[in-house]
Every structure is written in structure tokens, then in C-alpha cells.
Amino acid sequence: EPEVTQTPSHQVTQMGQEVILRCVPISNHLYFYWYRQILGQKVEFLVSFYNNEISEKSEIFDDQFSVERPDGSNFTLKIRSTKLEDSAMYFCASSEARSRGFGYTEAFFGQGTRLTVV
Amino acid sequence: AQSVTQPDIHITVSEGASLELRCNYSYGATPYLFWYVQSPGQGLQLLLKYFSGDTLVQGIKGFEAEFKRSQSSFNLRKPSVHWSDAAEYFCAVGNPNFGNEKLTFGTGTRLTIIP
């Protein structure tokens, strides 16, 4: 069964360092997403990406964050200068379609990358 | 703004017993509703979803959920739990106009199964 894969599973970084979280979405999917979950809190939407550009982003997704699809298979989330409060589990997801008008299908999530900023 | 409440942070159930996990949502119209499960070290796996139609939906692993508009609820049920059902369960609501963008999740319910 196709799945979304994320690497690494756990990353520890020093405050102020840049990190790149990597995801390989399901191959025929067109929409890609990042969500995060701070320990003990809700899973929160960060950003969605379609046709090589951001389609929606939350207020969390500020200038410190960026996303990229550098090739035909990878989807990355970059945090330029990490803060302690960026420590969280980051989930990548992908879907075939987006919303009701486009033929809605559910999102498939990866296993997550646990980011620890020290 | 849409929101989801899962009132039970942690539930313990005996193996073979029935299970009901509660989910209440706040949304102005009929939302899309989902239940996801996360086993240790695993990603979020979709158990079932409700878009429209029959309010009782069947999912994988023997789970079902019922959409009750009058109660703004989407509770997850299973008639007989197995030890492998021990996991974290998340209810989520989506805006039909935004699809997977801005899925709003609950805080999750951790399910422990005892022999």
C-alpha cells in the first residue's frame, strides 16, 4: 500500500540552526501539507502546497518557515532559525484532490518527524 | 471558526469490552468529519470519514462512527476492542470548501487496553 514517508524520524538541533524536514508523498498525489503537534497540544495545520506554490498557510507559518518541492518526489519543510518553541512532531500529508469542488479525497499522513530544539 | 473537542484525554478498557470515544465539533454547516489513529511510532492513519449521506459510517479495523447533527457529535465506537487497538485517537473536522487544508484536530484520546 502506498504511504507517505518522512525523514528523519527524530532530529535534535540547536536553537538558531536551520533544519530541513523531508517527506516523500504518495506518487500520484497533487496536494501536499505540513501539520505539527506540540507535545500535549492539538495537531495544527501549517501549510498546503499545490502546483509548486503555497495554496494556504496558517498564522503559525511565518517567514521562518518555507516549503519546497525540489524534485518530482520530495516535499520539504525548512525552518531557518529554530526556536525552542518549534519543538514538535511535524507531519507531512498528501492527497489526490483538495476540496469538494475538486473531488475531495482524504489526506494520508506520514509517521512524523519529532523535532527537538535545544 | 471550527473547533473539535475530545473530552476524554485517557480511556482504559478491558480487552473484549466495547468502546466509545467522544467527539464534539463546532461548525456552522455540515463539516467533513474524520477519525485518525496513531499507534506508537506510526503516522496518523485514517479510520473513517463522513462527508454526507448515511450518518453511520463504517471504517477499518471494525470501527464505526455516527454523525449526530443535533448533538454536533461524531463518536467513534467498536463493539469489542483488541489489545492492538491501544493507540491515540484523533477526531478532526474539515471545511468542505477547503478540503484537507485547515483540518482542525482534537487533542486526542489515548486508549489503553488491559487484559
Side-chain angles (χ1 to χ4, degrees):
Chain A
E1 183 178 324
E3 60 180 16
V4 176
T5 56
Q6 291 184 243
T7 55
S9 56
H10 190 190
Q11 180 151 1
V12 181
T13 188
Q14 287 198 321
M15 192 169 54
Q17 295 297 303
E18 174 184 287
V19 294
I20 297 176
L21 308 183
R22 303 181 192 279
C23 169
V24 179
I26 295 173
S27 62
N28 64 332
H29 285 187
L30 301 177
Y31 295 87
F32 314 111
Y33 316 88
W34 285 100
Y35 285 76
R36 79 172 185 189
Q37 184 185 28
I38 295 172
L39 190 63
Q41 298 186 24
K42 298 182 179 185
V43 177
E44 305 170 291
F45 168 77
L46 292 179
V47 66
S48 61
F49 190 85
Y50 169 70
N51 200 26
N52 280 322
E53 62 182 22
I54 291 173
S55 54
E56 294 286 340
K57 61 182 181 178
S58 71
E59 59 274 12
I60 302 168
F61 194 87
D62 61 22
D63 292 343
Q64 291 298 311
F65 292 90
S66 63
V67 289
E68 191 179 32
R69 188 154 163 83
D71 53 44
S73 60
N74 290 284
F75 179 51
T76 62
L77 174 69
K78 182 192 290 186
I79 309 175
R80 289 190 182 80
S81 177
T82 50
K83 308 183 193 102
L84 294 176
E85 54 265 37
D86 293 328
S87 295
M89 178 75 87
Y90 288 81
F91 292 105
C92 174
S94 68
S95 68
E96 290 181 30
R98 177 184 176 193
S99 61
R100 185 168 49 191
F102 298 85
Y104 184 87
T105 60
E106 65 267 20
F108 291 81
F109 284 77
Q111 81 280 16
T113 293
R114 180 165 297 285
L115 176 65
T116 302
V117 182
V118 297
Chain B
Q2 60 204 49
S3 66
V4 178
T5 301
Q6 292 181 249
D8 304 306
I9 296 172
H10 188 195
I11 285 183
T12 299
V13 177
S14 298
E15 189 169 14
S18 63
L19 171 72
E20 181 168 29
L21 302 183
R22 296 182 291 165
C23 172
N24 292 96
Y25 68 89
S26 173
Y27 183 71
T30 300
Y32 290 160
L33 294 161
F34 308 85
W35 275 98
Y36 284 87
V37 61
Q38 184 181 27
S39 299
Q42 303 297 312
L44 293 167
Q45 182 183 22
L46 181 68
L47 282 176
L48 46 77
K49 60 187 184 286
Y50 174 78
F51 292 163
S52 65
D54 192 346
T55 56
L56 184 64
V57 292
Q58 303 297 320
I60 62 171
K61 305 185 181 187
F63 286 93
E64 67 178 27
E66 186 171 12
F67 169 58
K68 292 186 177 179
R69 184 191 307 276
S70 62
Q71 299 177 20
S72 296
S73 69
F74 189 58
N75 294 348
L76 182 71
R77 299 195 294 252
K78 187 170 185 177
S80 176
V81 297
H82 186 262
W83 65 266
S84 60
D85 294 324
E88 185 101 23
Y89 291 80
F90 295 93
C91 181
V93 61
N95 181 326
N97 295 315
F98 292 99
N100 291 301
E101 295 158 0
K102 305 178 185 177
L103 280 180
T104 300
F105 284 82
T107 48
T109 298
R110 180 169 298 279
L111 176 64
T112 298
I113 308 295
I114 57 176

